[in-house]
Amino acid sequence: MTAPALGSLPWSPAADHPELLGAPVAAALPGLPASVWVAAIDEDLADTAAFCETYGVPLDASANCVVVAGRRAGQTSLAACVVLATTRADVNGLVRRHLDARKASFAPQDVAVAGSGMAYGGITPIGLPAGWPVLVDAAVATADVVVIGSGIRGSKLAVPGALLAQLPGTRVLEGLGQPLEQRQPTPSAGPERAPDDSDVGWGERPSEREDDDRRYLEDRPPHWGSD
């Protein structure tokens, strides 16, 4: 196996370094059909922009995994979206339609962490709970190698894009990642929202008292809340 040449990082076989992996990632590793590589990083530089700038990894070789909450008929489910760092997941369009959700949003930080069992800033599609839909942008799936999270903030994984397309529950979607420069400003007017929920979803105040398809921040299921 030849280590990838990505930035200034020394990549090693991930199977040899379980200490650099989140527990769910380490548990999923033996069942993967291709080689996965890991490199230690400064956990304060785990966020994509700082990571790419510091370690010389191109943005278009780095992929972000975001947790999305979809809600329909009073039920909320979580899914993951994997897009290149040069793009943003089309949550309110393609993702919402694919999940058949009435509305969809980026899940609040504590919900994403508790639901995935991974550190915020290190959430990765490898090792997510069984039953989660994993939506992967076509540009990620066709990449030779992409850098993703490892389940913790102190390392990154390098994996073939084709491997991500083969993960359980995965669906490859063309156009899932939208170029950042094409994003339209979000109008500031709208329903009052809880402080940690800037998008549609948790924290939105119901427009009608009897509207049971909206929920307050406090109504999250207990097992998705903070410890």
Side-chain angles (χ1 to χ4, degrees):
M1 298 185 293
T2 302
L6 282 169
S8 59
L9 292 167
W11 298 95
S12 303
D16 295 344
H17 294 280
E19 76 281 2
L20 294 178
L21 307 173
V25 179
L29 209 60
L32 298 182
S35 300
V36 175
W37 301 83
V38 67
I41 65 168
D42 184 335
E43 64 179 20
D44 291 333
L45 300 171
D47 293 341
T48 303
F51 164 76
C52 289
E53 181 179 358
T54 301
Y55 296 104
V57 175
L59 281 171
D60 59 6
S62 182
N64 291 327
C65 178
V66 296
V67 178
V68 173
R71 186 158 177 80
R72 184 179 182 84
Q75 299 296 316
T76 300
S77 59
L78 298 180
C81 299
V82 186
V83 298
L84 293 178
T86 52
T87 67
R88 178 181 173 90
D90 184 15
V91 172
N92 290 317
L94 186 59
V95 174
R96 181 182 60 79
R97 293 193 299 273
H98 181 77
L99 297 178
D100 192 27
R102 179 176 179 266
K103 55 188 176 183
S105 68
F106 295 103
Q109 178 174 329
D110 62 328
V111 172
V113 169
S116 66
M118 303 178 193
Y120 199 74
I123 295 176
T124 186
I126 297 173
L128 289 174
W132 277 32
V134 180
L135 309 180
V136 176
D137 186 70
V140 174
T142 57
D144 289 337
V145 181
V146 290
V147 175
I148 57 174
S150 63
I152 65 173
R153 290 183 62 87
S155 64
K156 294 286 187 179
L157 300 180
V159 302
L163 182 151
L164 300 180
Q166 299 175 54
L167 293 175
T170 293
R171 174 76 179 273
V172 176
L173 298 178
E174 190 75 44
L176 175 62
Q178 295 293 304
L180 295 175
E181 62 270 16
Q182 292 184 7
R183 291 176 58 199
Q184 298 297 317
T186 301
S188 57
E192 179 186 358
R193 307 185 192 284
D196 68 337
D197 188 29
S198 60
D199 210 331
V200 177
W202 274 287
E204 184 173 346
R205 307 308 185 192
S207 59
E208 301 292 341
R209 187 176 297 275
E210 64 273 13
D211 185 354
D212 61 3
D213 195 40
R214 299 180 181 228
R215 66 195 302 163
Y216 288 127
L217 191 65
E218 298 80 13
D219 292 333
R220 297 174 185 162
H223 64 284
W224 283 349
S226 302
D227 292 334

